[in-house]
Amino acid sequence: MSESYEFLFKFLVIGSAGAGKSCILHQFIENKFKQDSNHTIGVEFGSKVVNVGGKAVKLQIWDTAGQERFRSVTRSYYRGAAGALLVYDITSRETYNALTNWLTDARTLASPNIVIVLVGNKKDLEAEREVTFMEASRFAQENELMFLETSALTGENVEETFLKCARSILTKIESGELDPERMGSGIQYGDALRRMHRQEKLQPRTSRPDCAC
């Protein structure tokens, strides 16, 4: 039996190699740590239906390679993404310093209204920290990003990160800022909502009574 959902959101997981992107995705999908994690070659894929504000939302998640040699390949997956997790490793200044480049790619190549969450991964390695919470928080504020620190190892904040991004997208749909029917929005209606919208379009509009004024 196929999964039932009201919306589908396309997500990206982006950031430098070694930041733990695949481990975050694996923890979210499988609820366990990925022990033998090699660098992603090209793109990996996962999906999960979650409850967001009482609505069933399917997250279609593309985990992109962080190595420079795959950059041209992974850029093609940015198109039509509604949300993104921008991941760095709190124990690696190098992955943090590369954030601006990743952010520029996301905002240039994906949906113009893309919702981005900055994710400081490997929170469990506090003793090896090179990037402070305050420093990353300031970067997030300056670039209008949401921000959370996670541990793909323990699972801390991993699900909350995806839900936070999805909640923000849903809020934008409800306010009319995002239109699921616009090409490249990164959002699709689930079967039930799609049928309902199709019926609404097919129904003839009732004519207004003549105004007696």
Side-chain angles (χ1 to χ4, degrees):
M1 187 176 162
S2 62
E3 299 165 303
S4 177
Y5 55 89
E6 292 175 66
F7 291 99
L8 182 147
F9 297 163
K10 179 181 175 180
F11 270 36
L12 296 171
V13 185
I14 57 176
S16 298
K21 299 185 300 297
S22 297
C23 292
I24 286 174
L25 178 60
H26 192 77
Q27 177 65 256
F28 178 61
I29 303 289
E30 305 288 342
N31 292 315
K32 60 185 178 185
F33 183 63
K34 189 177 185 180
Q35 293 289 351
D36 53 341
S37 182
N38 298 315
H39 287 315
T40 301
I41 297 173
V43 174
E44 289 181 5
F45 174 78
S47 68
K48 186 174 182 176
V49 175
V50 293
N51 184 311
V52 184
K55 290 183 169 61
V57 177
K58 184 171 186 175
L59 304 184
Q60 189 186 73
I61 308 154
W62 299 89
D63 165 28
T64 62
Q67 293 159 289
E68 188 59 42
R69 63 198 172 107
F70 296 118
R71 205 78 176 264
S72 59
V73 176
T74 58
R75 277 184 177 132
S76 62
Y77 287 88
Y78 283 54
R79 286 189 64 184
L85 270 54
L86 175 59
V87 184
Y88 70 97
D89 172 358
I90 70 162
T91 71
S92 165
R93 170 67 52 182
E94 189 182 350
T95 63
Y96 178 77
N97 289 343
L99 289 175
T100 303
N101 291 337
W102 290 104
L103 184 57
T104 301
D105 276 1
R107 287 191 164 151
T108 307
L109 302 169
S111 161
N113 292 309
I114 188 169
V115 173
I116 303 173
V117 181
L118 178 64
V119 181
N121 191 36
K122 306 191 185 178
K123 193 172 186 282
D124 51 285
L125 299 176
E126 187 62 44
E128 298 170 40
R129 180 187 284 274
E130 290 185 2
V131 183
T132 69
F133 181 90
M134 285 305 297
E135 182 181 5
S137 186
R138 200 161 48 243
F139 177 87
Q141 208 170 1
E142 288 167 359
N143 290 282
E144 299 178 337
L145 311 172
M146 292 176 286
F147 172 52
L148 279 172
E149 286 190 343
T150 62
S151 168
L153 178 64
T154 67
E156 183 179 355
N157 279 342
V158 169
E159 186 170 34
E160 178 54 29
T161 301
F162 286 94
L163 292 178
K164 198 177 180 77
C165 194
R167 273 196 297 268
S168 183
I169 294 167
L170 197 57
T171 300
K172 289 189 174 194
I173 293 170
E174 289 167 349
S175 70
E177 194 178 334
L178 281 176
D179 178 7
E181 297 196 346
R182 188 180 63 78
M183 186 78 91
S185 68
I187 304 159
Q188 292 175 26
Y189 288 120
D191 287 341
L193 282 177
R194 199 179 296 128
R195 277 197 299 272
M196 187 177 77
H197 281 268
R198 198 178 293 133
Q199 284 167 355
E200 282 176 359
K201 284 183 176 179
L202 290 173
Q203 282 173 355
R205 297 192 176 194
T206 54
S207 56
R208 292 181 180 177
D210 291 335
C211 181
C213 50

